[in-house]
Amino acid sequence: MSKRSWLFFGGAALAGVLVTAAYFFFPADTKDKHCMHDEETYLSFCREAALQPALYTSFRSHPLYTVFQESLNETSAGHYLTHLEKQYPHLLLENELIASLDAIGNPLKIARPGTQEISYPTLRNLKIEGDVEKFFGSLTGKTVVQIGASDGSLCKILKTFHQPSRYCIIDIAPALSLAQKTLADWNIGDVEFYTPEEFIAPDSIDLVISPFVFAESRRNIQQFYLTNIMRHARQGYLECRFPMRHFGLKVWTQEQILERLEGIGKRPQLVVEEPLTDIDHCLILFAL
């Protein structure tokens, strides 16, 4: 077995152990946590990866990182690749962008016949870019707020295809530090980074986008995002999943999210996500 295969299967096994442990050790609401990622072991990893070159070199395939951040496996990554080939094939022609994205952090990759490999996070975030083009059009000259920093690659993609006048990323501080590092290495500037407590929403936000973090946050944090960010947003793109009881979090259900968006005057639309990689995943858009 190759070193890469060993890393993948070892990481998958560790992920299963960590999720199982989370179910037993965090069965009740943990009131001092912001979101699923608010675990000290993970946050320490983010801090260290941003500071230590040896760890940073391969942080995106490290089991401790992927258990919190990687929602795809080899099979589902294949589904994403097929979806992009059918729905947004022009994005897969961006070979220079793909190579740049995948040059940092050694992310897990899937082969593409006759061309370069492509990583799981790049597939996932190119799909989001395709959806943004389909549902919202150009973001050039607009204000974008991203809830959840992840590895910074979604911001790089959106800033590459669009020229927003303002781009804000909101997350807890250690997660922000890692995204700041990757975006600096990708030479992506003019990005504002805030913790939830620091962020003051402008009067108007053109698009709020959340790759899972809104749905993975505790109810009081969700209410904060709803009141202080989404209320100001003309449009929204919310990827959601709902396994949070295993992480000691009480979160809004799909129905509650829809109701609360309606309560602040939005017109939410539940979209069947393609490709659907898990039964608890959904996509909620508003103000189409």
Side-chain angles (χ1 to χ4, degrees), residues 115-217:
T115 187
Q116 69 199 109
E117 294 179 311
I118 187 168
S119 74
Y120 298 0
T122 296
L123 283 168
R124 188 176 60 253
N125 290 315
L126 284 176
K127 184 263 184 185
I128 294 175
E129 163 60 24
D131 286 350
V132 166
E133 293 176 6
K134 176 181 177 180
F135 294 114
F136 307 116
S138 175
L139 301 180
T140 297
K142 296 183 176 180
T143 296
V144 178
V145 174
Q146 179 181 326
I147 299 173
S150 187
D151 57 13
S153 57
L154 176 60
C155 175
K156 174 177 169 58
I157 289 171
L158 294 179
K159 294 265 291 182
T160 297
F161 285 100
H162 312 269
Q163 290 77 49
S165 62
R166 187 177 182 189
Y167 199 110
C168 307
I169 299 179
I170 302 170
D171 209 330
I172 47 183
L176 289 176
S177 67
L178 191 50
Q180 286 176 296
K181 167 68 173 168
T182 58
L183 287 166
D185 288 348
W186 280 318
N187 199 30
I188 300 296
D190 296 322
V191 179
E192 302 172 36
F193 300 89
Y194 301 96
T195 64
E197 295 79 8
E198 295 170 336
F199 183 68
I200 300 175
D203 291 336
S204 178
I205 297 169
D206 293 290
L207 177 67
V208 58
I209 185 166
S210 173
F212 295 125
V213 170
F214 170 71
E216 295 175 348
S217 298

Side-chain angles (χ1 to χ4, degrees), residues 3 15 47 56 67 91 94-95 99 115 179 185 191 204 217 220 235 263 266 276-277 288:
K3 181 179 179 181
R47 295 187 195 99
Y56 180 71
V67 71
L91 298 178
E94 298 287 338
N95 292 323
T115 187
D185 288 348
V191 179
S204 178
S217 298
N220 68 313
Q235 299 173 316
K266 308 304 179 185
L276 184 61
T277 57
L288 299 183

Side-chain angles (χ1 to χ4, degrees), residues 15-244:
V17 170
L18 289 173
V19 170
T20 301
Y23 178 78
F24 286 105
F25 288 107
F26 301 106
D29 188 28
T30 306
K31 292 183 171 51
D32 59 347
K33 291 167 60 177
H34 275 69
C35 60
M36 186 191 85
H37 308 97
D38 197 357
E39 297 287 351
E40 185 53 41
T41 303
Y42 171 73
L43 300 182
S44 295
F45 176 86
C46 289
R47 295 187 195 99
E48 292 170 8
L51 295 172
Q52 298 180 15
L55 184 58
Y56 180 71
T57 299
S58 59
F59 82 91
R60 294 168 86 194
S61 58
H62 191 286
L64 186 55
Y65 185 81
T66 58
V67 71
F68 284 96
Q69 288 290 352
E70 189 48 73
S71 62
L72 302 185
N73 55 35
E74 187 171 6
T75 299
S76 56
H79 294 324
Y80 265 70
L81 178 58
T82 299
H83 179 77
L84 283 165
E85 290 170 341
K86 291 180 178 178
Q87 299 297 323
Y88 310 123
H90 63 289
L91 298 178
L92 292 173
L93 300 177
E94 298 287 338
N95 292 323
E96 184 176 344
L97 172 62
I98 292 169
S100 174
L101 285 162
D102 293 351
I104 287 180
N106 193 32
L108 298 172
K109 299 182 181 73
I110 185 172
R112 290 194 291 162
T115 187
Q116 69 199 109
E117 294 179 311
I118 187 168
S119 74
Y120 298 0
T122 296
L123 283 168
R124 188 176 60 253
N125 290 315
L126 284 176
K127 184 263 184 185
I128 294 175
E129 163 60 24
D131 286 350
V132 166
E133 293 176 6
K134 176 181 177 180
F135 294 114
F136 307 116
S138 175
L139 301 180
T140 297
K142 296 183 176 180
T143 296
V144 178
V145 174
Q146 179 181 326
I147 299 173
S150 187
D151 57 13
S153 57
L154 176 60
C155 175
K156 174 177 169 58
I157 289 171
L158 294 179
K159 294 265 291 182
T160 297
F161 285 100
H162 312 269
Q163 290 77 49
S165 62
R166 187 177 182 189
Y167 199 110
C168 307
I169 299 179
I170 302 170
D171 209 330
I172 47 183
L176 289 176
S177 67
L178 191 50
Q180 286 176 296
K181 167 68 173 168
T182 58
L183 287 166
D185 288 348
W186 280 318
N187 199 30
I188 300 296
D190 296 322
V191 179
E192 302 172 36
F193 300 89
Y194 301 96
T195 64
E197 295 79 8
E198 295 170 336
F199 183 68
I200 300 175
D203 291 336
S204 178
I205 297 169
D206 293 290
L207 177 67
V208 58
I209 185 166
S210 173
F212 295 125
V213 170
F214 170 71
E216 295 175 348
S217 298
R218 289 183 61 242
R219 292 172 185 170
N220 68 313
I221 303 300
Q222 289 177 311
Q223 184 63 54
F224 173 88
Y225 289 141
L226 190 80
T227 302
N228 294 281
I229 298 176
M230 293 184 193
R231 182 170 60 86
H232 300 276
R234 294 178 52 250
Q235 299 173 316
Y237 181 101
L238 310 177
E239 283 189 298
C240 301
R241 57 187 176 186
F242 304 94
M244 297 304 104

